[in-house]
Amino acid sequence: MTAQPAPRVGEAARRLRLPDGSWAQLDGPLTPGVPLVLLLHGFRGGLASMAAAPSGQRSWREALLASGFSTLSYEQTAPDGLLAPNLEQLIEIAAGPLSHHSRLRRLPLAIVAHSRGGLLARLLVDRSGNEPRLRGVVDRLSQVITLHTPHQGSGLAALAIGVDRTARRLQSAVASLGLRPAVLAALCSLSASPAVAELAPGSPTLRALARRPAPTRVPWHTFGGISADLRRICTLLGPVPADGRASAPARLARTRGLSEVVGVLDRLALLTPALREGEGDVVVADASARLPFAASHTVNRLTHVEALWDVSLQRQVIALLSDRCLLAAA
């Protein structure tokens, strides 16, 4: 069966209680034969990352609903923490409501994951080999689609670790970095995070994943970005309007000194392909977003954050999901 035409965005919206007591957002008609798309956000993201978008843009949830798919969105238990607790939460979702809910347990599934969410998807599929309660869910996966995921590691994460090692010795030379002390302290706090180190190339987590057998039962499709125009990121997040009612991304830019950090990263672009125009998306180099066993890899001239709402990227992904629906119905 193919996806049904354009239900209204927000139609049949439901709150779904998860095993850990938190709530997920379940949207769409839950049409038999049409995949329920599980949306996995990235590092430091949340429920809104793929279920909402800045003014004038369209979220992944909205794009998928408009194409007749249903979606399940939730906030990871440790969005700025290590992968392990987030994996355990995802396993409980898979073994719980996705396996036993009366409206969900027979639906085909697909995963669309942004950034670190793609690593969660890989860990889930890999764990299914040792956990019988997950096999039924993984067998229902029609495909996994990862957007700008650091499969081979994030160049920006590796650079952040290096910044942490040196910035603490540069307190007397803050002006040379172009950062106020408060912004430098925030950058050091982020770069010292074990969760950031976990995303760096060659981390134990990524090495262990690379050694695992290729997940041959599920088709994988990867997408990467090659726009590292740092100044455009500030423009995309938007200026603060005259009435002071800034969007959440604009507030982020204003309150966390983003423009100052962008200026520093611009001067560090030679140190990692992730920051070079034509090679990376500021966070992940295109070469790192690829998987050797993927059925396809697509490159777009997008930054990391644009992958959360770019219309062209959404069309490419929806085409893959729709083609799979047609093959299943044939």
Side-chain angles (χ1 to χ4, degrees), residues 209-327:
L209 258 180
R211 289 194 296 266
R212 301 298 298 159
T216 55
R217 290 185 294 170
V218 182
W220 292 70
H221 301 275
T222 57
F223 288 78
I226 55 169
S227 177
D229 188 340
L230 295 161
R231 298 297 170 185
R232 195 165 93 248
I233 292 178
C234 290
T235 303
L236 286 168
L237 292 177
V240 178
D243 62 7
R245 298 170 62 184
S247 65
R251 288 196 301 272
L252 173 71
R254 183 180 62 188
T255 61
R256 297 189 184 175
L258 179 64
S259 60
E260 296 174 49
V261 174
V262 163
V264 172
L265 292 177
D266 202 20
R267 294 195 288 274
L268 297 176
L270 293 178
L271 300 181
T272 173
L275 287 168
R276 291 202 287 266
E277 183 70 17
E279 295 185 57
D281 68 1
V282 178
V283 178
V284 180
D286 176 61
S288 293
R290 299 170 183 254
L291 283 171
F293 54 79
S296 70
H297 180 77
T298 306
V299 183
N300 293 291
R301 192 164 290 280
L302 297 173
T303 61
H304 200 74
V305 69
E306 285 177 291
L308 288 172
W309 61 70
D310 182 73
V311 172
S312 177
L313 176 59
Q314 289 170 348
R315 288 173 181 159
Q316 293 165 7
V317 168
I318 288 168
L320 286 171
L321 293 170
S322 300
D323 286 348
R324 195 70 184 178
C325 282
L326 291 172
L327 285 173

Side-chain angles (χ1 to χ4, degrees), residues 149-210:
T149 291
H151 291 297
Q152 317 305 326
S154 164
L156 187 59
L159 185 60
I161 295 171
V163 167
D164 180 60
R165 291 171 183 154
T166 59
R168 296 178 190 279
R169 301 195 299 267
L170 293 174
Q171 300 295 333
S172 62
V174 168
S176 68
L177 285 176
L179 294 175
R180 288 177 287 117
V183 177
L184 180 62
L187 184 60
C188 287
S189 174
L190 174 63
S191 62
S193 165
V196 172
E198 190 175 44
L199 300 178
S203 74
T205 298
L206 293 181
R207 287 202 308 269
L209 258 180

Side-chain angles (χ1 to χ4, degrees), residues 3-30:
Q4 301 300 308
R8 294 189 303 274
V9 170
E11 183 180 2
R14 310 161 185 84
R15 292 181 77 205
L16 180 67
R17 189 69 174 256
L18 299 179
D20 64 0
S22 63
W23 293 91
Q25 183 172 325
L26 182 63
D27 294 279
L30 302 178

